[in-house]
Amino acid sequence: MKRWLNFSLLLIATGLSQNLTGVGTEIITIRDLCYQQNYPAATELLARICNQPDKQIAGLFWQTCLLQLLIYDFGNIGLVDSFYHTCDRVIENCSRQLKEHPDDATAHLYFGLTLLNQANLLSWQNKKFHAFLTLLKVNPHLQRALALNPELYDARFGLAVIEYFKATADRYCFGLGLLGSRERAYQLMTEAREKAHQLQPMAEFMLAFMYKEDHNYLAAIESCNRLLSRYPGNRTARRLLRDIYLAMGSYQQAIALGRELEAELSATAPDNRYARSENWLKLTYAWTGAGIPDSARTYADRIINWQNYSSSVPWLSEYVREAKRMKNRQCRL
């Protein structure tokens, strides 16, 4: 469950009233800045939006998305409290809006997508039970939003995510046994990719992830390449493409991408032990698959040498444990 939920890096929303056309334009700009990994510019634009009362909810919601992206990209757990606090502010504002205007479709949309973001981060923190309970609250808001406004294709994105999880729940949480339709999930996500005004890039990313999980690797690669043609250098898409190559046994291509990511992280974020150790682990797998055990052990050792940082770096303890397992496996060969 920890991996499938890491999809909400760049959820988008529209303004809370129909006359706030400026919000949509600014949010699109923020979205593109985030995909371009220009976080300072995105932060500056968000600060201006959050200071405008009629655009505050849009700004606050996007602040949660940006915080979540920074947490996932850099493993910055110092931002977790700010993320949840900002989510609470979005939910409070949406609840207040819905008390006054129960049929506000976009308020329901913000409410549902914020809960989806919360479930996402809870899963990343390995709080699976709380993530699942939060996930159960998402559907009613997104379904209500779509019932009130069938043109809200952004809502279809969130519904597709839930549907895919339900259809594949046993894959991630054995014995969960939820009923869902994989076919319905693909239909909703494809509609979001084709017609969503703001969530279209995220729908493309999610389709790539779904195709990978279902072993349709060529379609997954096509989706990743479409994203990278639009946002060259995006690390999230490149990591996913690396994992697709690894899953399909194209080890040399996985190694090439892993090396590119390592060079970039080493130059721009040398202290980012979270991202670098994750990439080293994938390179350990790739070198193992390529039949070059010396290189596999080298990358495993790099991870193991960082085990003293396990208490402060997310997921590092698991990466160290897996690196030790892989190294022992190499020693037995």
Side-chain angles (χ1 to χ4, degrees):
M1 185 176 179
K2 67 181 182 181
R3 290 302 175 201
W4 86 271
L5 271 174
N6 290 338
F7 49 73
S8 303
L9 304 181
L10 293 171
L11 290 174
I12 321 297
T14 55
L16 277 177
S17 63
Q18 293 180 355
N19 62 351
L20 296 181
T21 54
V23 173
T25 301
E26 290 168 319
I27 291 299
I28 289 292
T29 301
I30 292 169
R31 178 199 69 190
D32 289 340
L33 288 170
C34 287
Y35 270 101
Q36 294 159 6
Q37 298 165 169
N38 189 344
Y39 304 133
T43 300
E44 182 180 352
L45 181 53
L46 270 172
R48 294 205 299 269
I49 292 176
C50 289
N51 287 330
Q52 301 175 43
D54 60 343
K55 301 178 181 180
Q56 188 175 55
I57 293 179
L60 288 173
F61 175 78
W62 254 94
Q63 206 165 52
T64 71
C65 297
L66 179 58
L67 286 167
Q68 192 170 26
L69 178 58
L70 291 169
I71 292 167
Y72 290 161
D73 202 10
F74 298 108
N76 191 343
I77 56 178
L79 297 175
V80 168
D81 287 344
S82 294
F83 168 82
Y84 286 121
H85 174 68
T86 308
C87 282
D88 288 343
R89 292 182 65 191
V90 177
I91 290 172
E92 288 170 5
N93 280 297
C94 287
S95 296
R96 187 160 47 247
Q97 176 74 10
L98 289 170
K99 284 181 180 178
E100 297 177 5
H101 306 284
D103 292 337
D104 190 322
T106 316
H108 280 291
L109 178 68
Y110 272 112
F111 206 131
L113 294 180
T114 301
L115 290 171
L116 198 59
N117 272 352
Q118 286 185 319
N120 186 336
L121 193 66
L122 286 166
S123 178
W124 183 82
Q125 292 180 285
N126 210 23
K127 299 178 180 180
K128 297 180 181 179
F129 180 69
H130 293 297
F132 176 68
L133 292 181
T134 303
L135 205 63
L136 294 178
K137 304 174 186 177
V138 174
N139 251 23
H141 285 288
L142 296 183
Q143 288 177 340
R144 181 61 177 158
L146 201 57
L148 290 166
N149 183 358
E151 299 302 314
L152 277 180
Y153 285 91
D154 293 328
R156 282 175 165 81
F157 169 83
L159 292 171
V161 170
I162 302 298
E163 193 69 23
Y164 187 75
F165 170 66
K166 288 164 59 179
T168 60
D170 276 342
R171 182 189 296 169
Y172 305 100
C173 298
F174 182 73
L176 196 56
L178 297 177
L179 295 178
S181 167
R182 186 182 276 101
E183 180 180 355
R184 175 67 172 159
Y186 275 102
Q187 176 188 341
L188 287 168
M189 195 63 74
T190 301
E191 290 175 354
R193 179 183 66 181
E194 293 175 351
K195 299 181 180 180
H197 178 54
Q198 298 170 338
L199 276 175
Q200 187 276 333
M202 195 59 214
E204 186 81 80
F205 176 85
M206 268 306 299
L207 278 171
F209 177 84
M210 291 160 61
Y211 285 134
K212 168 188 168 289
E213 293 295 286
D214 293 334
H215 311 298
N216 188 348
Y217 299 125
L218 293 181
I221 291 171
E222 288 178 4
S223 286
C224 276
N225 285 336
R226 279 193 291 267
L227 273 176
L228 287 169
S229 67
R230 185 172 177 179
Y231 305 104
N234 180 273
R235 278 188 295 272
T236 303
R238 289 156 67 201
R239 288 179 184 125
L240 181 56
L241 186 58
R242 175 204 60 193
D243 293 350
I244 294 166
Y245 286 138
L246 187 59
M248 67 189 295
S250 296
Y251 300 117
Q252 293 300 331
Q253 289 172 292
I255 290 167
L257 262 177
R259 282 174 157 174
E260 287 179 13
L261 287 164
E262 167 57 19
E264 178 181 328
L265 290 167
S266 179
T268 61
D271 296 328
N272 187 351
R273 294 184 175 91
Y274 166 72
R276 295 183 71 192
S277 60
E278 184 269 347
N279 189 51
W280 289 346
L281 185 60
K282 297 302 174 68
L283 282 166
T284 302
Y285 292 144
W287 283 116
T288 300
I292 306 178
D294 286 346
S295 294
R297 283 194 292 268
T298 296
Y299 281 96
D301 281 336
R302 290 184 181 182
I303 302 168
I304 295 167
N305 289 338
W306 274 355
Q307 62 184 326
N308 290 338
Y309 299 100
S310 295
S311 61
S312 59
V313 178
W315 295 106
L316 182 55
S317 60
E318 290 201 6
Y319 297 157
V320 169
R321 184 162 50 249
E322 181 64 8
K324 289 180 177 179
R325 186 189 72 82
M326 292 295 292
K327 183 178 179 180
N328 290 335
R329 175 184 171 186
Q330 294 300 328
C331 292
R332 291 195 299 268
L333 293 176

